[in-house]
Amino acid sequence: MKKTIDFIKDKIKITPEIGIVLGSGLGDFADSIEEKIEIPFTEIPDFPVSTVKGHDGKLIFGNINGKEVCIMKGRIHFYEGYDISDVVFPIKVIAELGVKTLIVTNAAGGVNTDFEPGDLMIITDHINLMGKNPLIGPNDESVGPRFLDMTNLYDRDLVELAEKAGKDLNVKTQKGVYMYFTGPSYETAAEVRMARILGADAAGMSTVPEVIIARHRGLKILGISTITNMGTGVLDKPLDHTEVVEVGKEVSGKFTDLLNKIIEDM
Ligand code: HPA
């Protein structure tokens, strides 16, 4: 970790206060950043490198609406075959760089039948169906507690702020619970029905391990899902990753506007 942090600190002159993880197809947001310094994951010592299409991996540092930010463009997924400790390594780095608030974004399937593809969902809570937890193993008490409290995990004030930002911009937002499946196969129709019965509104393959580590480091968390498709079985049509990326691109304008306004209002 020290090697990683020293390498990054040597390249940047700022202490970022906000970290942003950009999900599938949402990478265009990083274009709006000013005074940017880009560091490809491949250049950073010990940093895991993503293999997924639409996830060209870079850390981007700069300024958005007067706030110093660190953007992670492209993330590591458990389904790529990485150890869970690799999946969350970048979040540990972001926290170590001084970030106090983490905005995590992702593409997700709509489980709530009131949702439509293209909706933006502010995450109010999550269900970890992974059967694993990134905190398993020895705990460093100097970092965070062994038995981590998950109350108000997705910060209520930030949920409210994001909802208000949507209203101000006339961008429709939904709110709901994100359920994490490891993937990479999409859910079955029965799993989507189960998710709905258990109280989920969206299903996705990321975010949850990262959020657990961010909470362990004491960061405030805001999560936004782009509903790129309806979950399996909701519509009578097969799911296709190309479509997930396409819908991500289609919503990129309103997603960027919303994220910019949220950061401005923080
Ligand atoms: N399920 C899981 N992850 C996803 C989906 C989905 O339907 N769409 C985009 N990411």
Side-chain angles (χ1 to χ4, degrees):
M1 176 61 76
K2 186 176 179 314
K3 216 161 80 184
T4 313
I5 297 296
D6 288 349
F7 176 86
I8 295 170
K9 281 198 171 158
D10 204 41
K11 297 212 179 278
I12 62 171
K13 285 161 207 74
I14 59 167
T15 302
E17 53 180 308
I18 301 172
I20 305 163
V21 180
L22 294 177
S24 289
L26 304 174
D28 289 353
F29 174 77
D31 296 343
S32 61
I33 189 167
E34 284 164 35
E35 300 160 40
K36 72 176 150 187
I37 295 172
E38 300 191 342
I39 317 178
F41 292 166
T42 47
E43 287 179 14
I44 308 173
D46 298 336
F47 216 81
V49 178
S50 176
T51 58
V52 186
K53 245 166 118 182
H55 283 265
D56 60 333
K58 277 179 206 162
L59 280 187
I60 304 170
F61 294 87
N63 193 295
I64 297 176
N65 296 327
K67 310 238 166 56
E68 308 286 14
V69 302
C70 165
I71 297 183
M72 185 173 161
K73 185 176 175 181
R75 59 148 66 83
I76 314 301
H77 300 83
F78 188 64
Y79 62 68
E80 290 175 73
Y82 289 98
D83 196 85
I84 193 164
S85 60
D86 287 324
V87 175
V88 297
F89 182 81
I91 304 302
K92 293 179 179 174
V93 170
I94 287 173
E96 190 73 24
L97 290 172
V99 162
K100 300 285 177 255
T101 303
L102 184 70
I103 305 177
V104 275
T105 70
N106 58 53
V111 168
N112 184 326
T113 51
D114 292 338
F115 290 3
E116 288 173 333
D119 279 353
L120 301 177
M121 183 189 89
I122 303 161
I123 304 177
T124 54
D125 210 344
H126 76 222
I127 300 173
N128 181 8
L129 215 69
M130 183 187 201
K132 286 199 172 57
N133 190 301
L135 294 174
I136 291 173
N139 187 56
D140 182 351
E141 287 289 330
S142 70
V143 174
R146 168 80 292 184
F147 299 106
L148 182 65
D149 173 48
M150 299 296 251
T151 309
N152 194 25
L153 180 59
Y154 296 84
D155 188 83
R156 276 183 221 120
D157 294 339
L158 291 180
V159 169
E160 218 172 274
L161 183 147
E163 268 191 293
K164 185 172 177 311
K167 284 204 182 95
D168 290 349
L169 292 172
N170 225 351
V171 168
K172 174 173 124 188
T173 58
Q174 306 279 12
K175 272 195 302 190
V177 173
Y178 177 91
M179 185 177 265
Y180 177 53
F181 292 84
T182 61
S185 55
Y186 287 111
E187 299 72 38
T188 63
E191 284 164 348
V192 169
R193 284 197 301 276
M194 173 197 73
R196 193 176 304 122
I197 291 165
L198 294 180
D201 298 285
M205 306 177 194
S206 68
T207 301
V208 164
E210 295 155 344
V211 163
I212 294 170
I213 289 300
R215 162 56 69 109
H216 193 235
R217 266 73 184 158
L219 274 62
K220 273 186 153 188
I221 298 154
L222 173 69
I224 303 173
S225 294
T226 296
I227 305 299
T228 50
N229 56 279
M230 293 312 291
T232 310
V234 176
L235 306 173
D236 188 19
K237 112 186 205 265
L239 268 53
D240 175 1
H241 177 67
T242 324
E243 204 177 313
V244 168
V245 175
E246 277 309 307
V247 175
K249 289 222 164 77
E250 275 162 40
V251 301
S252 146
K254 70 175 181 181
F255 173 81
T256 297
D257 292 348
L258 181 68
L259 212 45
N260 270 314
K261 177 89 173 103
I262 288 170
I263 292 165
E264 189 184 328
D265 293 350
M266 265 177 175

